[in-house]
Amino acid sequence: MVIEGLDGAGTTTQTAELVRRLAERGIAAEATAEPSRGPVGALIRLVLGHRLGGGGGRPFDRAALALLFAADRLDHVASEIEPHLVAGRWVVSDRYALSSLAYQALDLPQPFVEAINARAPRPDLTLFLDVPADVALGRRQSERANLELFEQLDLQRRVATAYRKAFGRRGVVGPAVKLDGRRPIAEVADAIEREVTRRFCAI
């Protein structure tokens, strides 16, 4: 399963909370995230944190960044997701392919972004936390002063629009549900748990 949304939507918080609630039901589950903890993910974090540019003072090339995200996703699947699944554990990922369809397709043709992510397995369920861009960015600003590459209000508004468009591309995203991420943390967690329970009745 994947939890998606703008930076500040609460994806990290809700990923951890869902894993905790699954554990309470006796279900072994693991939280993962993208960018991943692998070597390609580490490189992406340097770019997002403005610690790695394109050389000569130029910004990092957006197509190259999209390719890094796609490569990191395949490494994430091979090194973390698949081993957990084979071992019988559930996996809840903080971001996955829908993020690329929203963020990378801002600057690049959507067919290109879809093509480079075509080998990534579709999730069984994507939960999208819908939060207005100004609310999400306000949360990030309250957490820390140094914002990352995409954390600007006008850009986040574009990303929010792109997310809503990409949300409908079920052939790439798989089964997906939109939830109101503006609600209190516990209420959002309850809504996620109800959705997971409804779809995967075995829990």
Side-chain angles (χ1 to χ4, degrees):
M1 290 175 288
V2 176
I3 299 182
E4 284 276 7
L6 291 173
D7 298 308
T11 60
T12 303
T13 297
Q14 294 300 337
T15 296
E17 179 63 12
L18 179 55
V19 168
R20 186 188 71 78
R21 292 187 180 207
L22 289 171
E24 286 183 346
R25 293 175 178 241
I27 297 170
E30 295 288 338
T32 67
E34 292 187 357
S36 76
R37 292 173 290 190
V40 185
L43 183 58
I44 292 171
R45 292 183 191 280
L46 290 176
V47 176
L48 296 180
H50 305 283
R51 289 171 287 168
L52 180 64
R58 299 187 309 276
F60 199 87
D61 182 80
R62 289 296 192 264
L65 183 58
L67 289 166
L68 285 177
F69 271 108
D72 183 50
R73 186 157 296 124
L74 293 182
D75 183 52
H76 179 207
V77 169
S79 63
E80 293 187 67
I81 295 176
E82 286 182 346
H84 287 315
L85 295 177
V86 168
R89 292 184 289 269
W90 291 31
V91 176
V92 183
S93 180
D94 177 0
R95 299 187 181 281
Y96 195 68
L98 183 58
S99 285
S100 284
L101 297 181
Y103 282 87
Q104 274 69 64
L106 287 179
D107 304 299
L108 300 164
Q110 185 135 1
F112 169 75
V113 178
E114 290 187 5
I116 63 176
N117 285 282
R119 290 182 61 86
R122 291 192 316 169
D124 294 302
L125 177 64
T126 295
L127 298 143
F128 174 59
L129 307 183
D130 195 11
V131 177
D134 57 337
V135 173
L137 189 60
R139 291 175 180 175
R140 296 293 284 173
Q141 289 173 329
S142 68
E143 293 172 358
R144 55 194 178 86
N146 296 323
L147 298 179
E148 291 186 340
L149 180 64
F150 293 104
E151 295 176 340
Q152 305 165 33
L153 184 55
D154 58 339
L155 189 54
Q156 285 291 292
R157 284 174 174 155
R158 291 176 58 209
V159 173
T161 299
Y163 254 126
R164 293 183 184 106
K165 289 180 180 177
F167 182 81
R169 303 186 72 82
R170 300 300 171 85
V172 179
V173 178
V177 176
K178 187 182 297 184
L179 301 172
D180 185 355
R182 296 170 298 179
R183 293 156 60 191
I185 290 173
E187 291 185 16
V188 175
D190 289 344
I192 290 173
E193 185 174 15
R194 283 194 298 271
E195 193 63 42
V196 172
T197 300
R198 184 177 71 82
R199 289 173 177 266
F200 308 107
C201 58
I203 73 169

